[in-house]
Amino acid sequence: FCLMAVPGKVAAFRLPPLPTVGEIIKLFRLKAQKQLSQNFLLDLRLTDKIVRQAGELKNAHVCEVGPGPGGITRSILSAGVEQLLLIEKDARFIPGLQMLSEAAPGKVRIVHGDILTYKMEKAFPKHLKKNWEDEPPDIHIIGNLPFSVSTPLIIRWLENVSKKDGPFIYGRTQMTLTFQKEVAERLTANPGGKQRSRLSIMSQHLCTVENCFVIPGQAFVPKPEVDVAVVHFTPLVQPKIQQPFELVEKVVQSVFQFRRKYCFRGIETLFPESGRLKRTEQLMMTADVDPTLRPFQLSMSHFRNLCNTYRKMCDEDPGLFVYSYREELRQKKMMRNLQKSTSQHKQFEEEDQL
């Protein structure tokens, strides 16, 4: 490698001549696995465009999730990063990534592991830590995520944002990630939009979420049946709902459980059957929410009021938060089955006596 000094410009990192990403795929006989929802992005103009959405990466520390054959990896290295951590679950990609590591001595660290279990709080040097109220640290997470892992992973990271742990122990770490276009639309949907969902509230109450641009499916190998969108997240200094992550998630999940019905129908599921109607009315009246609004019509302030009021109700009745609507349904079903089987058993006994 060499540092190209250009008059009047910051010296940029240049990788030495390497096989193309397509040649790497052929060289190591790599094939995207459908069960892992893998799709390769080979066009370096698009990988450069994704990396530009992350912001200024000169001398930054970056974690790339699921680098695969290394298309985005090359664009990150070309941006002049200080250190690049690659977390790759599929062992088939490691040799190709090691080739990139050798081309950028001292810059790349490869971890063969699962991002869902990797301890991100130890991923970066301690001196990079910033106070939450300060500007974001010089740390970025970038990834072309497999569709199968993207939603559970962003929920996990949003919980980390809420608790200021994991990759956010360093401050308001920024993320630039790919999602199925429909998921990206949910993440950024406004009140009243048809894609407004649980993901909209959970992400927007904790982060500034920007839908950057859409990559057509045909740009990937193999071509997925859907288009892909690049989404940028910057954690907010103050969340819009000042309640624990688990409480916000429970309220939001309940509201969107029946998304086509009036919102009170989902809110009812927060309460046990005995006293359900009275407590639902109490919650909606105190939170000043119209019970005939649909879930997707509720604003962030509606959700804030619902969460704050529900928290007070839980403080007054400590057993309320652990109540599970689904568990109550399951218990009722078990009781019905037990009664049915007892009834059948009695019937058989009577028939035997006859």
Side-chain angles (χ1 to χ4, degrees), residues 15 71 204 209 212 276 310 315:
L15 285 165
Q204 292 170 35
V209 191
C212 303
R276 177 173 288 157
Y310 179 64
D315 288 345

Side-chain angles (χ1 to χ4, degrees), residues 241-253:
I241 303 171
Q242 303 264 350
Q243 294 296 347
F245 184 86
E246 291 82 2
L247 185 139
V248 178
E249 188 174 40
K250 186 178 182 185
V251 171
V252 173
Q253 272 184 330

Side-chain angles (χ1 to χ4, degrees), residues 294-353:
R294 311 282 177 184
F296 59 86
Q297 293 176 307
L298 298 185
S299 67
M300 192 63 76
S301 62
H302 284 137
F303 277 103
R304 184 189 305 118
N305 293 350
L306 286 168
C307 290
N308 290 344
T309 308
Y310 179 64
R311 171 66 184 271
K312 284 178 187 170
M313 294 173 83
C314 288
D315 288 345
E316 289 164 10
D317 177 2
L320 183 57
F321 184 70
V322 295
Y323 164 73
S324 165
Y325 176 71
R326 293 192 177 193
E327 180 59 25
E328 187 177 59
L329 287 181
R330 195 179 72 81
Q331 294 284 355
K332 282 169 78 174
K333 189 178 178 182
M334 279 173 64
M335 284 299 295
R336 280 198 305 269
N337 290 341
L338 186 63
Q339 287 166 356
K340 190 177 175 183
S341 107
T342 307
S343 168
Q344 285 175 342
H345 186 64
K346 277 184 179 176
Q347 190 181 341
F348 291 145
E349 278 185 342
E350 287 168 5
E351 287 172 0
D352 284 347
Q353 285 169 0

Side-chain angles (χ1 to χ4, degrees), residues 151-184:
T151 303
L153 185 56
I154 195 59
I155 289 292
R156 164 81 61 85
W157 277 339
L158 289 169
E159 183 172 2
N160 290 146
V161 170
S162 174
K163 295 176 179 176
K164 299 177 185 170
D165 61 12
F168 307 97
I169 204 165
Y170 302 93
R172 296 185 297 122
T173 300
Q174 297 178 78
M175 303 183 284
T176 308
L177 307 166
T178 62
F179 294 90
Q180 203 170 319
K181 185 185 170 190
E182 189 180 303
V183 175

Side-chain angles (χ1 to χ4, degrees), residues 5 42 61 112 118 140 142 162 170 213 231 262 291 299 310 317 343:
L42 309 187
H61 287 248
H112 176 214
Y118 183 72
H140 299 261
I142 299 174
S162 174
Y170 302 93
F213 66 96
V231 183
Y262 292 144
S299 67
Y310 179 64
D317 177 2
S343 168

Side-chain angles (χ1 to χ4, degrees), residues 144-269:
N144 173 29
L145 304 176
F147 296 154
S148 60
V149 80
S150 60
T151 303
L153 185 56
I154 195 59
I155 289 292
R156 164 81 61 85
W157 277 339
L158 289 169
E159 183 172 2
N160 290 146
V161 170
S162 174
K163 295 176 179 176
K164 299 177 185 170
D165 61 12
F168 307 97
I169 204 165
Y170 302 93
R172 296 185 297 122
T173 300
Q174 297 178 78
M175 303 183 284
T176 308
L177 307 166
T178 62
F179 294 90
Q180 203 170 319
K181 185 185 170 190
E182 189 180 303
V183 175
E185 287 170 351
R186 284 185 210 149
L187 286 162
T188 55
N190 293 318
K194 63 177 183 177
Q195 294 286 15
R196 185 78 162 173
S197 68
R198 173 182 73 120
L199 270 181
S200 318
I201 311 303
M202 297 310 294
S203 56
Q204 292 170 35
H205 105 84
L206 290 163
C207 298
T208 299
V209 191
E210 183 189 355
N211 195 337
C212 303
F213 66 96
V214 174
I215 305 172
Q218 61 257 33
F220 292 85
V221 178
K223 177 183 175 294
E225 293 174 8
V226 293
D227 292 338
V228 172
V230 177
V231 183
H232 184 76
F233 300 81
T234 307
L236 294 165
V237 173
Q238 289 289 346
K240 291 179 181 171
I241 303 171
Q242 303 264 350
Q243 294 296 347
F245 184 86
E246 291 82 2
L247 185 139
V248 178
E249 188 174 40
K250 186 178 182 185
V251 171
V252 173
Q253 272 184 330
S254 298
V255 171
F256 280 101
Q257 194 157 289
F258 306 103
R259 68 172 283 113
R260 296 187 184 281
K261 297 186 177 180
Y262 292 144
C263 65
F264 81 85
R265 181 67 190 86
I267 289 167
E268 281 183 329
T269 66

